[in-house]
Amino acid sequence: MTMSTPLTGVIPPVCTPLTPDREVDVPSLISLVDHLVAGGVHGLFVLGSSSEAAYLTDRQRRLVVETVVAHVGGRLPVLAGAIDMTTPRVLDHVAAVIGAGADGVVVTAPFYTPTHPVEIARHYRLIAERSPVPVVAYDLPVSVHTKLDPDLVLDLAAEGVLAGLKDSSGDQAGFRAVVAGARTRHDITDFSVLTGSELVVDSALAMGADGAVPGLANVDPAGYVRLYDLCRAGDWERARAEQDRLFALFGMVGVGAADGHMGGSSSALGAFKAALRLRGVIACGATAEPQVALSEDEVERVGKYLASAGLL
Amino acid sequence: MTMSTPLTGVIPPVCTPLTPDREVDVPSLISLVDHLVAGGVHGLFVLGSSSEAAYLTDRQRRLVVETVVAHVGGRLPVLAGAIDMTTPRVLDHVAAVIGAGADGVVVTAPFYTPTHPVEIARHYRLIAERSPVPVVAYDLPVSVHTKLDPDLVLDLAAEGVLAGLKDSSGDQAGFRAVVAGARTRHDITDFSVLTGSELVVDSALAMGADGAVPGLANVDPAGYVRLYDLCRAGDWERARAEQDRLFALFGMVGVGAADGHMGGSSSALGAFKAALRLRGVIACGATAEPQVALSEDEVERVGKYLASAGLL
Amino acid sequence: MTMSTPLTGVIPPVCTPLTPDREVDVPSLISLVDHLVAGGVHGLFVLGSSSEAAYLTDRQRRLVVETVVAHVGGRLPVLAGAIDMTTPRVLDHVAAVIGAGADGVVVTAPFYTPTHPVEIARHYRLIAERSPVPVVAYDLPVSVHTKLDPDLVLDLAAEGVLAGLKDSSGDQAGFRAVVAGARTRHDITDFSVLTGSELVVDSALAMGADGAVPGLANVDPAGYVRLYDLCRAGDWERARAEQDRLFALFGMVGVGAADGHMGGSSSALGAFKAALRLRGVIACGATAEPQVALSEDEVERVGKYLASAGLL
Amino acid sequence: MTMSTPLTGVIPPVCTPLTPDREVDVPSLISLVDHLVAGGVHGLFVLGSSSEAAYLTDRQRRLVVETVVAHVGGRLPVLAGAIDMTTPRVLDHVAAVIGAGADGVVVTAPFYTPTHPVEIARHYRLIAERSPVPVVAYDLPVSVHTKLDPDLVLDLAAEGVLAGLKDSSGDQAGFRAVVAGARTRHDITDFSVLTGSELVVDSALAMGADGAVPGLANVDPAGYVRLYDLCRAGDWERARAEQDRLFALFGMVGVGAADGHMGGSSSALGAFKAALRLRGVIACGATAEPQVALSEDEVERVGKYLASAGLL
């Protein structure tokens, strides 16, 4: 499909189900896509952080995109992350995911290597030049260790370099600056501003954001779609109640990290996958190496979060 | 060649000469290897930070290792970086560089994805298990955003997981802890502690380090070999004078960053390559995308540093 | 007056007007208080960050509190910051500001000295034990370099140690956790959750916050009171428009920092004071040493922001 | 006494013994000074980090300086910290410690408030202008959250603003830059470069530093004086052995932090004071509020470090 911009709605970053020996579990991935489509989501984002893109080999990345694109069959736009350290390496991934059928690519600033704003701008310009599909910037300081400057994002939007922003920075003021700029600058059209937060989707949409890319939407896609629809309808009271329910559900991400025997990332990804297994969507909750696995007791606590949210 | 451990001496992280269109300049790379060997260095480290490993595609990385290994022909050990985000991706690079002939691999902790000490340990164990050649840990917090804990490094050394450490953390106290532990712990043998600093090689060797991996040794390999020999001979006064000369030479890394129009990394890598071109070692000073290039004026200032150090 | 808790509404952190030789300008301070009261604000917070508390000597701090308390005469509650590094030093400030008539104290976690969650809890408990007035926690990681944990804040609220939170962390998810906890935990009553942001007051109130402490309310108190009233009335569309107007006005904080000749803090404080002078509220825009002053050109640009917002 | 510059030798940051109810224990402080003088130290630094300056009230700070100055009676120079957030507050402390008899003042960059290099320079110039005694810059990024730039320090040295640097940054390359600059710049005379490290004193002196300010010298002043003398004599082998012994002794700082029930700072200060009590120098090991106290078991482990180092 050709992606119509701007992207709007709920676009989950699709988890990558793995087999116990850490290969992509294709049937489970297809089942997860069905679960998301049935939940009413408006697009899919594969090879993002919730997809464990950082842990997947090039071969596995390609398999994920091919599988999802083939199964979706054009019903929804499929964005794919092209996550790597610098421009030349990202360009290889861009070529790969487009070859596998992605409708758009999602790209961070350079990382690992210390960088500079001028280099970040050049990075996106070079990628857009060579990409036949829209490029969405991915602002994820917790991984990239630089924050995208709102004015830089807006300038690249005006140039036609960027088609959108996925903002997982947690910086609401910067997010608002992009939303406001995208609305008020006359040189910007069709630019999509998406929040990566699970927890302030109502606020983001109230500010004027176009949509959300919440990892927790893997677990409860219908909940996020409901939240989106309530916001669009201007029913802010019920939207807040739905967001508060999802906020409580998000507490699951802490089950493993609470006692310090693993980090927050392993805990969160493990919880999402445990929840998907408990809900019968995927076959196995394994996360990629070298992440620490949740214990049985921790998986049980994930189950309690699901039960409290009415999802079991 | 089979790498004899522990590694000692000066082991430059070999720059990767590029053509104006950013392909690996194989003749210049061979010329650079000749320059380093003629300088008396004790080993070579390809695909490190000074090699712009973060910017090279997989194809380019392989070409670099093959070229250097073939040209060295076993005269010196060749270490190769296997720089990527997580275990599964690093394992692919380990296989690639060993396939291309590397005598040892150099591996950081996981990056991009937030990590945890238990996961760092597991990462190195899984890699060592699958690597037929020695594994050297690379401590580079400026890129990896975690610091390797000295006790963890020593425990992995005792287990036989790690054959050495390249410490570019700038944390001299932690470095000393590893040097002291490697010397005093009875369960550790043949572990090589290498400083990644250009600036405190004399201090590191005085503490008991085994060697150094200074990027500036691309420019002045003979200087670092002289420094190493003076330290080994216990001639600390002349060692300090040589280190001070190299300290001053290192000032070249700031020529581009001084006025803020590029970052420190672009400036430093650009200066090393400009110096190599001015010294007639390589054909072109280009750095990989999206780095900012030094201006002609800045290159001229690199030349003044070379002249002051007696290298032009 | 006795402060009735929970605090609600708009509670500006009151700027401290200085004379050209950096003494407290008492007539201007009184004029500023009149300006804020006329704007309809619901309380005053002296000796916060926007008050340049970090720059005021003990003598100046006392003069500020005495002046404001005397002039307000009980019409509004007056909170005072007790900003210092550790418990014993904070306790001295708590005694001083209460002696000068403050109705409540605002206290950060320990800073300068590296700290630990257990010590932060102990810090607040010791202060509350010795303070006859309510204690409000001040979460300001940009200055304190630790972030208050939402669960710790809620536990201290339940214990009666804390009467409120001023959250200037910029972490909306953590803020929402405190708001939600304060509403749902049965062991918490009368706890006031206040945002320190200028830019997402509508979002904060939509989440259920009790009020806001925006530095920009010095410049436009009536605007923030209007925003507060619109939110309380559930008129989110007009609230958003008012917040967007204030968002644009806030752009003034960048006039000095844009070209890098001063930092963001000097630029913001200088802009607030320049705006107050241009609006005729205070006599002189001087900021405390060693801050860099705005140039005449930069002050002129502040004036343009005021004009665009209808404030000149 | 008039302080002769440049300062050289071992200048311990003097711990502040406290009574069980956290008042300054004057007899123990005098005993500690005697212990340090008997160890052969070359100066004393009160109200530094190891002195818990951040925790002492203004009254306690004054008592410490008066006590030490009176007891030393001019036998050694006494430096005093003037630790506070910004210029106006630091100036009050400078006046206080000079009034109490200090021979020099030690001052950090502004903290708590975000700052800028221009402001840091202005800060030191204003302080030097008003201080009748020499001003030593204190580089302590772990507390101040900015790093002093070597070139700025050297320029202020050349201007006569700064008489010395106490570098506790852990950045050996930056330290070397200051040492080298102080030696080679013709516009700098009598500038004293002191390391704040316990662990690399031999390296610092080998580079050309003038002295050291190690907190651990409270516990073993004679050891650090011996280390200093060996370095001055060029006996680097025995210096390294002595430094290695002190390195091992320094392990005591981790006894409390090992299991995470307190932070590293509480653990280190608690260990120094426990060691001083065990050695019979001070009466009580209490640290200031809100720090966590070492357990009896942890104190016992401090004793084992002392025994291993031959100090019990």
Side-chain angles (χ1 to χ4, degrees):
Chain A
M1 92 182 289
T2 304
M3 195 173 88
S4 66
T5 55
L7 280 165
T8 58
V10 176
I11 305 160
V14 184
C15 286
T16 307
L18 298 178
T19 63
D21 59 347
R22 268 70 174 189
E23 282 303 328
V24 176
D25 177 350
V26 171
S28 284
L29 179 56
I30 290 173
S31 165
L32 173 55
V33 169
D34 287 339
H35 163 72
L36 297 171
V37 171
V41 304
H42 308 87
L44 297 174
F45 169 36
V46 297
L47 304 186
S49 300
S50 297
S51 320
E52 297 173 271
Y55 299 88
L56 301 178
T57 64
D58 287 354
R59 182 179 56 75
Q60 291 175 325
R61 288 183 178 197
R62 174 173 280 271
L63 177 57
V64 165
V65 183
E66 286 173 347
T67 300
V68 172
V69 166
H71 188 66
V72 165
R75 289 173 290 167
L76 299 177
V78 178
L79 301 178
I83 307 301
D84 216 313
M85 294 170 251
T86 61
T87 318
R89 296 185 62 81
V90 169
L91 284 170
D92 276 3
H93 291 288
V94 166
V97 299
I98 292 175
D103 300 306
V105 294
V106 182
V107 174
T108 70
F111 57 89
Y112 184 83
T113 180
T115 189
H116 184 274
V118 170
E119 294 167 352
I120 294 174
R122 183 165 176 78
H123 176 70
Y124 281 116
R125 286 187 186 110
L126 287 166
I127 288 162
E129 216 171 76
R130 312 243 189 123
S131 171
V133 302
V135 177
V136 174
Y138 191 176
D139 194 13
L140 186 68
V142 71
S143 289
V144 174
H145 299 282
T146 49
K147 166 86 187 78
L148 291 179
D149 179 68
D151 286 331
L152 174 61
V153 169
L154 291 167
D155 288 346
L156 293 173
E159 280 182 41
V161 165
L162 295 180
L165 170 71
K166 179 193 175 210
D167 186 331
S168 299
S169 70
D171 171 7
Q172 289 296 95
F175 185 75
R176 189 165 205 141
V178 176
V179 169
R183 206 165 46 215
T184 57
R185 279 179 58 162
H186 300 299
D187 53 355
I188 298 178
T189 51
D190 286 344
F191 185 72
S192 178
V193 189
L194 307 169
T195 177
S197 173
E198 277 89 357
L199 303 177
V200 292
V201 173
D202 55 347
S203 302
L205 294 171
M207 284 177 195
D210 299 288
V213 189
L216 185 64
N218 282 279
V219 177
D220 189 7
Y224 278 98
V225 170
R226 197 155 49 234
L227 170 58
Y228 179 77
D229 290 341
L230 289 166
C231 292
R232 280 290 167 263
D235 188 347
W236 298 108
E237 287 307 307
R238 286 175 64 209
R240 176 171 127 185
E242 183 65 21
Q243 178 68 83
D244 284 346
R245 188 185 64 83
L246 292 163
F247 194 102
L249 179 64
F250 190 71
M252 72 167 61
V253 301
V255 297
D259 72 352
H261 80 109
M262 69 178 71
S265 176
S266 293
S267 180
L269 293 172
F272 289 168
K273 286 185 154 181
L276 286 169
R277 183 170 67 76
L278 291 171
R279 296 200 73 192
V281 178
I282 69 175
C284 165
T287 51
E289 296 287 4
Q291 294 174 90
V292 176
L294 296 186
S295 66
E296 279 187 39
D297 176 62
E298 289 159 351
V299 170
E300 206 171 296
R301 286 165 55 208
V302 169
K304 287 181 184 158
Y305 279 97
L306 292 176
S308 297
L311 297 174
L312 261 200
Chain B
M1 89 182 290
T2 304
M3 195 173 90
S4 67
T5 53
L7 280 166
T8 58
V10 176
I11 304 160
V14 184
C15 285
T16 306
L18 298 178
T19 63
D21 58 347
R22 269 68 172 190
E23 281 303 326
V24 176
D25 176 350
V26 171
S28 284
L29 178 56
I30 288 173
S31 166
L32 174 55
V33 168
D34 287 339
H35 164 72
L36 297 171
V37 171
V41 304
H42 307 88
L44 297 174
F45 169 37
V46 296
L47 304 186
S49 299
S50 296
S51 320
E52 297 173 270
Y55 300 88
L56 301 177
T57 64
D58 287 353
R59 182 180 55 76
Q60 291 175 325
R61 288 184 178 197
R62 173 174 281 270
L63 177 56
V64 165
V65 182
E66 286 173 347
T67 300
V68 172
V69 166
H71 188 67
V72 165
R75 290 174 289 167
L76 298 177
V78 178
L79 302 178
I83 306 301
D84 216 313
M85 294 170 250
T86 61
T87 318
R89 295 185 63 81
V90 169
L91 283 171
D92 276 3
H93 291 288
V94 166
V97 299
I98 292 175
D103 301 307
V105 292
V106 183
V107 174
T108 70
F111 56 90
Y112 184 81
T113 181
T115 189
H116 184 275
V118 169
E119 293 167 351
I120 295 174
R122 182 164 177 80
H123 176 70
Y124 280 117
R125 286 189 187 113
L126 287 166
I127 289 163
E129 215 171 76
R130 312 244 188 120
S131 171
V133 303
V135 177
V136 174
Y138 193 175
D139 194 14
L140 186 69
V142 71
S143 289
V144 174
H145 298 282
T146 49
K147 167 86 186 78
L148 291 179
D149 179 67
D151 287 331
L152 174 61
V153 169
L154 291 167
D155 288 346
L156 293 174
E159 280 181 41
V161 165
L162 294 179
L165 170 71
K166 180 193 175 211
D167 185 331
S168 298
S169 70
D171 171 6
Q172 289 297 95
F175 185 74
R176 189 165 205 141
V178 176
V179 170
R183 206 165 46 216
T184 56
R185 277 179 60 162
H186 299 299
D187 54 355
I188 298 178
T189 51
D190 286 344
F191 186 72
S192 179
V193 189
L194 308 169
T195 178
S197 174
E198 277 90 357
L199 303 176
V200 292
V201 174
D202 56 347
S203 302
L205 294 171
M207 284 177 196
D210 298 289
V213 190
L216 187 63
N218 282 279
V219 177
D220 190 6
Y224 278 98
V225 170
R226 198 156 47 235
L227 170 57
Y228 179 77
D229 290 341
L230 288 166
C231 292
R232 280 290 167 263
D235 189 347
W236 299 108
E237 287 309 306
R238 287 174 64 210
R240 176 171 125 184
E242 184 64 22
Q243 177 68 81
D244 284 347
R245 188 185 63 84
L246 292 163
F247 193 103
L249 179 63
F250 190 71
M252 72 167 62
V253 302
V255 297
D259 72 353
H261 79 109
M262 69 179 72
S265 176
S266 294
S267 180
L269 293 172
F272 289 168
K273 287 186 154 180
L276 286 170
R277 183 171 68 76
L278 291 171
R279 296 200 73 192
V281 178
I282 69 175
C284 165
T287 51
E289 296 288 4
Q291 293 173 92
V292 176
L294 296 185
S295 67
E296 278 186 41
D297 177 62
E298 290 159 351
V299 170
E300 207 171 293
R301 286 164 56 207
V302 169
K304 287 180 184 159
Y305 279 98
L306 291 175
S308 296
L311 296 174
L312 261 199
Chain C
M1 92 181 289
T2 304
M3 194 174 90
S4 66
T5 54
L7 281 165
T8 57
V10 176
I11 304 161
V14 184
C15 286
T16 306
L18 298 178
T19 63
D21 58 347
R22 268 70 174 189
E23 282 303 328
V24 176
D25 177 350
V26 171
S28 284
L29 179 56
I30 288 173
S31 165
L32 174 55
V33 168
D34 286 338
H35 164 71
L36 297 172
V37 171
V41 304
H42 307 87
L44 298 174
F45 169 37
V46 296
L47 304 186
S49 299
S50 297
S51 320
E52 297 174 270
Y55 300 87
L56 301 177
T57 63
D58 287 354
R59 182 179 56 74
Q60 291 175 325
R61 288 184 178 197
R62 173 173 281 269
L63 178 56
V64 165
V65 182
E66 287 173 345
T67 301
V68 172
V69 166
H71 188 66
V72 165
R75 290 173 289 167
L76 299 177
V78 178
L79 301 178
I83 307 301
D84 215 313
M85 295 170 250
T86 61
T87 318
R89 294 185 64 80
V90 169
L91 283 171
D92 276 4
H93 291 288
V94 166
V97 299
I98 291 175
D103 301 306
V105 293
V106 183
V107 174
T108 70
F111 56 89
Y112 184 81
T113 180
T115 190
H116 184 274
V118 169
E119 293 166 351
I120 294 173
R122 183 166 177 79
H123 177 69
Y124 281 116
R125 285 188 188 112
L126 287 166
I127 288 162
E129 216 171 76
R130 312 244 189 121
S131 171
V133 302
V135 177
V136 174
Y138 192 176
D139 194 14
L140 187 68
V142 72
S143 289
V144 174
H145 298 283
T146 49
K147 166 87 186 78
L148 292 179
D149 179 68
D151 286 331
L152 174 61
V153 169
L154 291 168
D155 288 346
L156 293 173
E159 279 182 42
V161 165
L162 295 179
L165 170 71
K166 180 194 174 209
D167 185 331
S168 299
S169 70
D171 171 6
Q172 289 297 94
F175 185 74
R176 189 165 205 140
V178 176
V179 169
R183 206 166 44 216
T184 56
R185 278 179 58 162
H186 299 300
D187 54 354
I188 298 178
T189 51
D190 286 344
F191 186 73
S192 178
V193 189
L194 307 168
T195 178
S197 173
E198 277 90 357
L199 304 176
V200 291
V201 174
D202 56 346
S203 302
L205 294 171
M207 283 176 196
D210 298 289
V213 190
L216 186 64
N218 282 279
V219 177
D220 189 7
Y224 277 99
V225 170
R226 198 155 48 234
L227 170 57
Y228 179 77
D229 290 341
L230 288 166
C231 292
R232 280 290 166 263
D235 189 347
W236 299 108
E237 286 308 307
R238 287 173 65 208
R240 177 172 126 184
E242 184 64 21
Q243 177 68 82
D244 284 346
R245 188 185 64 84
L246 292 163
F247 193 103
L249 178 64
F250 190 71
M252 72 168 62
V253 302
V255 297
D259 72 352
H261 80 109
M262 69 178 70
S265 176
S266 293
S267 180
L269 293 172
F272 289 168
K273 286 185 154 182
L276 287 169
R277 183 170 68 75
L278 291 171
R279 296 201 73 192
V281 178
I282 69 175
C284 164
T287 51
E289 295 288 5
Q291 293 174 90
V292 176
L294 296 186
S295 68
E296 279 185 40
D297 177 62
E298 290 159 351
V299 170
E300 206 171 295
R301 286 165 55 208
V302 169
K304 287 181 185 160
Y305 279 97
L306 291 175
S308 297
L311 297 175
L312 261 199
Chain D
M1 90 182 291
T2 305
M3 195 174 89
S4 66
T5 53
L7 281 165
T8 58
V10 176
I11 304 160
V14 184
C15 286
T16 306
L18 298 178
T19 62
D21 58 347
R22 268 70 172 189
E23 280 303 328
V24 176
D25 176 350
V26 171
S28 284
L29 178 56
I30 289 173
S31 165
L32 173 55
V33 168
D34 286 339
H35 163 72
L36 297 172
V37 172
V41 304
H42 307 88
L44 297 174
F45 169 36
V46 297
L47 304 186
S49 300
S50 296
S51 320
E52 297 172 270
Y55 300 88
L56 301 177
T57 64
D58 287 354
R59 181 178 57 75
Q60 291 175 325
R61 288 184 178 197
R62 174 173 280 270
L63 177 56
V64 165
V65 183
E66 287 174 347
T67 300
V68 172
V69 166
H71 189 65
V72 165
R75 290 173 289 167
L76 298 177
V78 178
L79 301 178
I83 307 301
D84 215 313
M85 294 170 250
T86 61
T87 318
R89 294 185 62 82
V90 169
L91 283 171
D92 276 3
H93 291 288
V94 167
V97 299
I98 292 175
D103 300 306
V105 293
V106 183
V107 174
T108 70
F111 56 90
Y112 184 82
T113 181
T115 190
H116 184 274
V118 170
E119 293 167 351
I120 295 174
R122 182 164 178 79
H123 176 69
Y124 281 117
R125 286 188 187 113
L126 287 166
I127 288 163
E129 216 171 76
R130 313 245 188 120
S131 171
V133 302
V135 177
V136 174
Y138 192 176
D139 194 13
L140 186 68
V142 71
S143 289
V144 175
H145 298 283
T146 49
K147 167 87 186 77
L148 292 179
D149 179 68
D151 286 331
L152 174 61
V153 169
L154 292 166
D155 288 346
L156 293 174
E159 280 182 41
V161 166
L162 295 180
L165 170 70
K166 180 195 175 208
D167 185 331
S168 298
S169 71
D171 171 7
Q172 289 297 95
F175 185 75
R176 189 166 205 140
V178 176
V179 169
R183 205 165 47 216
T184 57
R185 278 178 59 160
H186 299 299
D187 53 355
I188 297 178
T189 52
D190 287 344
F191 186 72
S192 179
V193 189
L194 308 169
T195 178
S197 174
E198 277 90 357
L199 303 177
V200 292
V201 173
D202 56 347
S203 301
L205 294 171
M207 284 176 196
D210 299 289
V213 190
L216 186 63
N218 282 280
V219 178
D220 189 7
Y224 278 98
V225 171
R226 198 156 47 234
L227 170 57
Y228 179 77
D229 290 342
L230 288 166
C231 292
R232 280 291 167 263
D235 189 347
W236 298 108
E237 287 307 307
R238 286 175 64 210
R240 177 172 125 184
E242 184 65 20
Q243 177 68 83
D244 284 347
R245 188 186 64 84
L246 292 163
F247 193 103
L249 179 63
F250 190 70
M252 73 168 61
V253 303
V255 296
D259 72 352
H261 80 109
M262 70 178 71
S265 176
S266 294
S267 179
L269 293 172
F272 289 169
K273 287 187 153 179
L276 286 170
R277 183 170 68 75
L278 292 171
R279 296 200 72 192
V281 178
I282 69 174
C284 164
T287 51
E289 296 287 4
Q291 293 174 90
V292 176
L294 296 186
S295 67
E296 279 186 39
D297 177 62
E298 289 159 351
V299 170
E300 206 171 295
R301 286 164 56 207
V302 169
K304 287 180 185 160
Y305 279 97
L306 291 175
S308 297
L311 296 174
L312 261 200

